[in-house]
Amino acid sequence: MLKTLRDLFRYNREFAIGSMLMAVILGMAALSAFSPYPPANIYVVPPDMPPSWAHPFGTNSRGQDVFWQLTFAMRNTLLFGFAVAFLSRLLSLLIGLVAGYQGGLTDRVLMSINDTFIVIPLFPLLILFYFVMRDYMNWVLLTLVIACLGWAYDARLIRSIMMSLKTREFTQTSVFSGMKMHEIVVREHLPYVLPIVFSTTLNNINWSIGLEVTLSVLGFTDINRPTVGTMIFWANQHSAMVAGVWWWFVFPTAFITLTFIALFLLAVSMNEYIDPRSRLARMGMGGA
Amino acid sequence: MVKANGKAGNGPVPAEPILSVRNLRAYYQMQYFGIDREVRAVDDITLQVNRNEIYGVAGESSCGKTSLIKTIAAANRPPLNVIGGSVKYSFLDRDIFRMSEEELSRVRWKHLSYIMQGSMNVLNPVRRIRKSFIDFAFRHINKPEREFFDIVARHLERLRLSPSVLKAYPHELSGGMRQRVTIALATICRPEFIIADEPTTALDVVVQKDVLAMIREVQQEMGSSILFVTHDMTVHANMADRLGIMYAGRLVEEAPTREIFANPLHPYTAHLIQSLPRIGDLSPKKALPGAPPNLSDPPAGCRFHPRCPLAMDICRRENPALTALRPGHRVACFAASSEVRPVSEIRETVPPKVAEARS
Amino acid sequence: MRSYGIYVLTRFAQFLLVVFIGISLTFFITHLSPIDPVEQMIAGMTAMGQSDPEAVSLMRTALQELYGTGGPLIEQYFTYWGRILSADFGPSLSSFPTPVSVLIGRALPWTIGLLATCTVISWVFGNLLGGLAGYFRENRMLKLAGVIIMGFHPVPYYIIAFVLLIIFGLMWPILPTSGGAAANLPRGWNAEYLISVLRHSILPAASIILVGLGGWFMGMRALVSNVITEDYVTYAELGGVKRSRILPFYVIRNALVPQVTGLAMSLGAIFNGAIIVEFVFSYPGLGRLLISAVYAGDYGLVLGVTTISIVAVSAAVFLIDILYPVFDPRVKLA
């Protein structure tokens, strides 16, 4: 495992850049534990100060230090992304496995519902949800809702992998040797599916953070909880760019963009690593 | 660059080479995570195919058969690279590797065509058959479209296919029909040389027999030569005039088919023939111990020695050269060339049916 | 042809299912929320100074009918469907007394025009460049194009749009950054107006296209590098078929098939992006309408836009579905 990571780091440029960026981002989030200012307080520092030694990313018009605010924002945003990805993975694994294994009518019903969730534009639904929930909106609720909407694409993927695994010879052998189906799933197939689930996790984190940032920027989340999205929301509320307080907008934007690129690069390199074709080639089975 | 297109008549013209391959070496050269890998799929192969002849190449899967014919057709793509040797055709004025893509494309299909392994997938699934005929053959036949399709239709009928297949997509045809379409496609320009790579492997036995007969028929009628590759020794017994046996990227034995079945000199060949089922024989078949070597790290000396019942010291050190022990019968084996001739001891009686099948 | 009819019917059934589930979701979101939407809205209305008693009572009746405050849930559900099927969402609160359906009707062409154009452009160019990049793996220009295109891809629409807004609105103001056309021009099919529409659409379109290209590019590049190892491509190469024929008809043509499915599957996501882009550039489409309706507390409008979005996107997907057999003759029509 460690050797694989080292090889990936050394010979896969996407992985190397992605993991370095990710380290910076995680470091930033971890720094939140050392913040001298509580995240929710305002007017703790002189407002609208440009970047300086005392305030490396400047201060905003609400009298907050942008650097320390951003550490909280990164922490919360990442936490949200991980939580959504984790919950929606559970859903997509469950639905993908059931549909793939049961086949027949169950499969058709589940996949019809699945395709529906792929097709429906989720953003208007989320906005509607915010609209009726407003004062009740908090990040746990948002996590749950987005997780409930974000499973469909990968459930389809897992289902198709399951269907092909089911017809493989080793599955038949396991059946004939008297293993129960759930044992086969857990012991034989899950090790094969999990790496793929892991790679979809990275994409799903990207997707959910994207939704969160977009909703927050519009003010459609709990705007008092610092996330990268709500930081940009407050910057816009105070017309930061027009007022020349560019650092308030630029630093969160830069960091969230780096986050997206890091996750994307990691997902790309993971995919390449997991793809059976390139795996085969790596083992030197390239030709006859 | 292309010599006058003198098609051979029906009568066999013995020993007039149409293809000569000399010391051909082609390796897969790969680099993954900083480690260089070299798979010696084609290693020092010399052979010759004569006019109006079916030359069979036999061997287990992953012995380098497919790599060999890809290289012979100059259709190898990286990571499969030609390391050395030459491939000459009588209809080309120089080595095939010295020709440009454009020069080659003028030769392909007109002189040199190909029936491919896994014929189920060789036809573009989203293109109607008639379009494929236009893509492959139209520029060689050089007639107006109406006349061109007259020729195609006649050719299809000769192969017992209705011209209506032209309007179909590949998936609308059965496996056997698709295979016949590819044979029609490969022979429409009446090429001198056809490379057939496992053309019947995916077909069921009844269809297989039909298709083989058809290939033979077309070949006879056009006087072309075929390089016929399959792992299936019974197919070789029915098709090939001469047979070359490949093991781990090397040619280990070559002789007229009847001779090789009657008197195999290499222990590997002997094993291949011995493992054929034959009527009335109830003795259990012995499996050869071990597996073909990993071609990225082949054993030193003779590549067969770890599995060979006759392995001697020299086999572990030196690589036996392919030498003619009899006229037309070449073998690469120290044991076979030594006086003892112990091969006959591990060989069982020749199947007379197989041996006579080709007469 | 008969089997094609059956195929269209099954796709239509899926379309109906999507609409059914989508609309039902909107119903349950609104009806299971702890807030009574009608009273909240009436409160919002009076707070905003709308105190014309006639308007208020008209609104209350309309809203009560739409959201169903009395009676069992199932009965409310059917009333709700009745309203939706007649596209009657009542009057808009923020633009009282204009009906919601009129507002949506005004916004819909802008969104469809912008989205259809951008989707087609990014799909065509993404696939074209990706296809070339997959076929000519060693080409430096294409590699560079790939790096640039993929750099934009993971960034959310909002950020791209906002950065473009800052560059072309604040730093280098050469393009209009707000609205669908110059306000002082009369609407009509004249060159001046159309050019203004075009100029206004450049930045929103650029945002959507820049993000969209990457997905198609990457997908197509990967598909092509798989397709070129397929037997039929090798066979065509062996057959001396010209590259200028192999690339479009053998490689790209086959790799395009999954990309058509991909297009259908990503329309929803593209629509999501368009909403935010429209908002950033105040483009007069559904997205801006939706977001400003939320800010104005206009319940009917929010619900109307959401519903129409679901129907419109599913209808577009249905359209792609029934065109799919053109791309893939192997599809089982029955």
Side-chain angles (χ1 to χ4, degrees), chain A residues 14 109 111-113 115-136 149 153 156 206-207 210-211 213-215 217-220 232-233 236-237 241-242 249 252-253 256-257 260-261 264 268 275 277, chain C residues 11 14 17-18 21-22 25-26 29-30 33-35 40-41 150-151 153-156 158-159 162-163 166 170 218 226 229-230 264-268 271-272 275-276 279 290-291 293-295 297-299 302-303 305-306 309-310 313-314 317:
Chain A
E14 280 99 0
V109 170
M111 282 306 112
S112 285
I113 297 172
D115 291 354
T116 305
F117 275 92
I118 290 175
V119 166
I120 288 181
L122 301 177
F123 204 62
L125 274 185
L126 283 171
I127 290 179
L128 183 69
F129 186 78
Y130 160 76
F131 190 80
V132 297
M133 295 302 282
R134 275 198 232 212
D135 307 334
Y136 296 81
L149 297 174
Y153 207 89
R156 192 166 246 296
N206 233 346
W207 172 83
L211 273 182
V213 169
T214 310
L215 283 171
V217 161
L218 297 171
F220 295 168
I232 299 174
F233 168 78
N236 285 347
Q237 287 294 303
M241 285 310 287
V242 182
F249 176 81
T253 308
I256 199 67
T257 307
F260 286 118
I261 291 175
F264 173 70
V268 168
D275 177 37
R277 262 174 218 264
Chain C
R11 298 324 298 170
Q14 176 70 34
L17 181 76
V18 174
I21 294 184
L25 272 177
T26 62
I29 287 174
T30 47
S33 104
I35 300 166
Q40 191 199 22
M41 257 185 78
M150 276 157 58
H153 177 60
V155 184
Y158 175 77
I159 290 182
F162 206 80
V163 169
I166 288 167
L170 280 174
M218 270 203 330
N226 280 345
T229 65
E230 293 282 348
M265 283 166 81
S266 56
L267 276 186
F271 185 85
N272 292 347
I275 292 178
I276 190 83
F279 172 72
L290 176 65
I291 291 169
V294 175
Y295 288 147
D298 191 340
Y299 208 118
V302 171
L303 196 60
V305 175
T306 308
S309 313
I310 291 169
V313 172
S314 336
V317 171

Side-chain angles (χ1 to χ4, degrees), chain C residues 16 29 37 43-44 46 58 70 74 82 106 116-117 154 169 194 200 215 221 244 255 271 273 288 291 293 305:
Chain C
L16 290 182
I29 287 174
T46 31
L58 202 92
I74 189 79
R106 257 182 233 155
T117 319
L194 291 180
H200 279 77
R221 196 177 55 178
S244 58
F271 185 85
R288 200 195 57 165
I291 291 169
V305 175

Side-chain angles (χ1 to χ4, degrees), chain B residues 335-351:
Chain B
S337 355
S338 66
E339 292 306 307
V340 200
R341 300 287 317 282
V343 179
S344 52
E345 287 161 25
I346 62 158
R347 211 195 80 221
E348 291 179 14
T349 44
V350 188

